[in-house]
Amino acid sequence: MIDAARDRDVVFTFRSGATRPFTGKSLILTFSVPQFFFHVATAYDILRHAGVDLAKKDFLGPPRPPQG
């Protein structure tokens, strides 16, 4: 299903009425993924600032064994 949407034209409309055209693939790679990681990092920063005991491993997840 996602593969079929890769080349589909998508027009993102902002509240101001401005539009930005994407393909399905470019929307994910250049807009959605960066937005997701920005918000994850910002939530992590706010929680740390508020005194929540978080460490790098909480942000990155458990280490994976080496691939070989």
Side-chain angles (χ1 to χ4, degrees), residues 49-61:
H49 181 74
V52 176
D53 186 27
L54 292 171
K56 187 175 182 179
K57 66 178 175 52
D58 296 311
F59 180 75
L60 298 176

Side-chain angles (χ1 to χ4, degrees), residues 2-61:
I2 291 176
D3 287 337
R6 175 186 350 203
D7 297 320
R8 186 175 299 158
D9 291 327
V10 178
V11 178
F12 195 88
T13 304
F14 296 91
R15 287 187 205 181
S16 66
T19 61
R20 186 167 173 197
F22 294 96
T23 62
K25 181 180 178 180
S26 69
L27 176 65
I28 293 294
L29 295 178
T30 66
F31 190 81
S32 299
V33 170
Q35 287 286 322
F36 172 78
F37 281 107
F38 166 79
H39 286 90
V40 168
T42 301
Y44 175 82
D45 295 339
I46 291 169
L47 291 170
R48 286 289 306 256
H49 181 74
V52 176
D53 186 27
L54 292 171
K56 187 175 182 179
K57 66 178 175 52
D58 296 311
F59 180 75
L60 298 176

